[in-house]
Amino acid sequence: MAEAQVPVLFCFSTFSRASTGSGHEILIQKFLALYGGLIGVHRKFLIQLHSAEWGEYVDLPKGFVVHERCKLRLVSLQVPMTSLGNLVASSTVFFCCDMQERFRPAIKYFGDIISVGQRMLQGAHILGIPVIVTEQYPKGLGSTVAEIDVTAAKMVVPKTKFSMVVPEVEDALNEMPGVQSVVLFGVETHVCIQQTALDLIGRGLEVHIIADATSSRSMMDRMFALERLARTGIIITTSEAVLLQLVSDKDHPHFKEVQNLIKASAPESGLLSKV
């Protein structure tokens, strides 16, 4: 005998759609088909039923069957986890965000940021790490500054969206299924860097922001953005820490080349100054 199909109403955020089905897995798959793109990353879910008697949602056991019209919602189960931040070259990609000519006079410590950004791209080239570069409205804001060599980048993508996670970049990430970590740097910390970082962790990626290679027009915006992002679970670190973590061993075949990059300490770019 065929299983009866019972109409239910799914709810997610402010959205709701009619659906059919009975049982945990059927409803989970239907929900993800409808709303998966809005969630950002698929997690485990708990199904809840709206109880007229209690006037609120109550949990349902995993093996339940729907026998009548009802209103259901799925609640994402998120377990807080501390990221170890253990970078490995084979599962890492570098994101260089909007280091463009027109920003030169406006961004605090931009000369220092350029210097450290180029150091990061050289390190990526030595270690065989792919680099994705974006340029914010290059028609009006110019190309990436000449001091930063992007000729070896996997792609240079023009954009108008503040986040670097535009369709071309999403496609590139989908072509690199082994990527687990993104090393992110550029400008501005409180706008494009912040929005990119939040989009990336929404995709389930670990994000490392190079504090000495990112800045804003205002030191206040820069420092508060870094503080906010750190509270979100994003790793705020430095160029030297990342490069040495990626080689991890004095006997690494590229250690000497990386060591030459960091022989001179990176400029502190105002990070030790008061806001």
Side-chain angles (χ1 to χ4, degrees), residues 8 13 70 120 127 157 182 196 212 219:
V8 299
S13 183
C70 62
M120 296 306 298
L127 298 171
V157 183
V182 174
T196 301
D212 51 333
M219 284 294 288

Side-chain angles (χ1 to χ4, degrees), residues 10-244:
F10 272 123
C11 294
F12 174 69
S13 183
T14 57
F15 303 90
S16 61
R17 298 192 191 183
S19 181
T20 58
S22 57
H24 185 274
E25 293 305 321
I26 293 174
L27 293 176
I28 288 282
Q29 292 306 315
K30 184 68 174 179
F31 179 83
L32 291 177
L34 290 171
Y35 301 121
L38 299 174
I39 296 168
V41 60
H42 294 179
R43 301 183 176 98
K44 292 184 178 179
F45 293 94
L46 176 69
I47 296 183
Q48 294 184 325
L49 167 71
H50 188 269
S51 168
E53 180 181 358
W54 293 96
E56 60 184 34
Y57 284 92
V58 296
D59 295 353
L60 285 175
K62 188 166 184 177
F64 80 95
V65 175
V66 176
H67 291 295
E68 58 187 17
R69 290 174 183 268
C70 62
K71 184 177 180 181
L72 300 176
R73 74 177 182 184
L74 277 75
V75 180
S76 169
L77 298 179
Q78 302 180 50
V79 180
M81 294 182 66
T82 300
S83 173
L84 297 177
N86 193 20
L87 286 169
V88 177
S90 60
S91 60
T92 298
V93 60
F94 281 16
F95 274 33
C96 176
C97 183
D98 307 349
M99 301 280 271
Q100 292 159 258
E101 191 59 43
R102 285 287 294 276
F103 293 128
R104 189 185 295 272
I107 300 296
K108 295 288 187 184
Y109 301 96
F110 195 56
D112 291 350
I113 301 305
I114 290 172
S115 170
V116 180
Q118 174 60 9
R119 182 180 296 200
M120 296 306 298
L121 264 62
Q122 289 174 311
H125 182 65
I126 290 167
L127 298 171
I129 295 172
V131 176
I132 292 176
V133 179
T134 59
E135 295 175 343
Q136 180 72 17
Y137 185 54
K139 182 179 178 180
L141 297 173
S143 301
T144 301
V145 296
E147 297 96 316
I148 293 183
D149 182 5
V150 298
T151 55
K154 180 179 178 66
M155 59 196 314
V156 180
V157 183
K159 67 182 179 68
T160 56
K161 182 181 177 180
F162 294 141
S163 171
M164 292 179 71
V165 187
V166 294
E168 298 94 325
V169 173
E170 288 192 271
D171 290 343
L173 288 172
N174 290 334
E175 292 169 5
M176 298 184 285
V179 168
Q180 298 176 11
S181 307
V182 174
V183 172
L184 173 62
F185 53 94
V187 298
E188 289 187 70
T189 314
H190 66 297
V191 187
C192 297
I193 294 295
Q194 178 170 280
Q195 293 186 34
T196 301
L198 295 176
D199 280 350
L200 290 170
I201 61 170
R203 291 178 61 95
L205 293 165
E206 181 182 85
V207 179
H208 299 244
I209 292 178
I210 307 299
D212 51 333
T214 180
S215 190
S216 299
R217 287 168 296 154
S218 155
M219 284 294 288
M220 179 179 70
D221 285 330
R222 179 191 188 189
M223 302 310 289
F224 275 102
L226 291 175
E227 183 182 334
R228 180 218 167 161
L229 291 166
R231 290 200 304 269
T232 311
I234 290 161
I235 297 163
I236 310 299
T237 185
T238 64
S239 55
E240 183 168 323
V242 164
L243 291 171
L244 288 177

